[in-house]
Amino acid sequence: MRIKNWLIAVLSLVSPSLYAHTGGHIDPSLVSGLLHPLTGIDHLLVLLAVGLIAAKQGGKALFMFPAVFFGLMAAGALLSAVGLQIPFVESFISLSLVAFGLLVTISQQQRAQLLFLGVSFFAVFHGYAHAAEIPADSNAAWYFPSLMLMSLAICLGGCIIGLKTGKRMNYLFSLICLSSGLYYLTAG
């Protein structure tokens, strides 16, 4: 299946029109959690980058990179849930765009693996921000697992893009991440 077909399938699954006539059968917390990762370009780009990097490295990294990232993201959400205050969360999220944007272009496998482990600490800030943004009227037991499920789907989309495209796509994606990260850093 071509990448365009995959993207169409993913976008149709997250289309708000799917939820327009729910009749109250779908918990609003579930829908909010599913849609949340799609509402911020910063989170979306980093999740795609994790998938791209994992695909580029291949082998065990295809599963290990996302597992490390999602584990740390869950740890960050837990820190938020217990009320721990972390300063400069948005700045660290902006820096993560720059870091992952650079990491997408590194080709040496051992160096990329070490750098990935180093920059994965940014996942803590992404998880923290996700948990801090849970709407007050939402049920966290529905919201956060659905948020993680959609995040995993986005990461999988990044893996598929990484497996189906070449260096030109990596450089273009890197440029998008770097420019977005620098923009957010200077705007904030």
Side-chain angles (χ1 to χ4, degrees), residues 32-98:
S32 295
L34 286 171
L35 295 178
H36 180 80
L38 300 169
T39 61
I41 192 73
D42 50 354
H43 297 299
L44 186 63
L45 287 174
V46 167
L47 290 168
L48 285 170
V50 170
L52 278 168
I53 295 163
K56 189 170 94 173
Q57 295 301 310
K60 291 179 185 177
L62 197 56
F63 300 102
M64 288 298 294
F65 283 9
V68 166
F69 189 84
F70 282 96
L72 290 170
M73 201 164 90
L78 186 61
L79 293 175
S80 178
V82 298
L84 184 70
Q85 295 297 314
I86 298 179
F88 310 114
V89 170
E90 291 302 320
S91 295
F92 280 112
I93 289 173
S94 298
L95 279 173
S96 75
L97 281 169
V98 174

Side-chain angles (χ1 to χ4, degrees), residues 16 27 36 39 67 69 76 96 102 108 128 147 160 177 179 182 186:
D27 188 300
H36 180 80
T39 61
F69 189 84
S96 75
L102 291 171
Q108 188 182 22
Y128 184 91
L147 178 143
I160 292 168
C177 282
S179 58
L182 292 173
T186 58

Side-chain angles (χ1 to χ4, degrees), residues 123-182:
V124 172
F125 300 102
H126 284 271
Y128 184 91
H130 282 311
E133 295 167 354
I134 294 175
D137 60 342
S138 288
N139 178 349
W142 282 101
Y143 182 90
F144 197 73
S146 62
L147 178 143
M148 292 294 274
L149 181 65
M150 181 56 74
S151 297
L152 184 61
I154 294 167
C155 188
L156 179 61
C159 284
I160 292 168
I161 291 168
L163 292 171
K164 299 289 182 181
T165 61
K167 285 185 178 182
R168 289 180 68 172
M169 179 60 153
N170 287 345
Y171 288 125
L172 175 63
F173 186 81
S174 176
L175 183 63
I176 292 168
C177 282
L178 290 169
S179 58
S180 297
L182 292 173

Side-chain angles (χ1 to χ4, degrees), residues 56-57 101-109 111-112 115:
K56 189 170 94 173
Q57 295 301 310
L102 291 171
L103 194 54
V104 166
T105 61
I106 294 176
S107 58
Q108 188 182 22
Q109 192 167 4
R111 183 177 296 164
L115 288 173

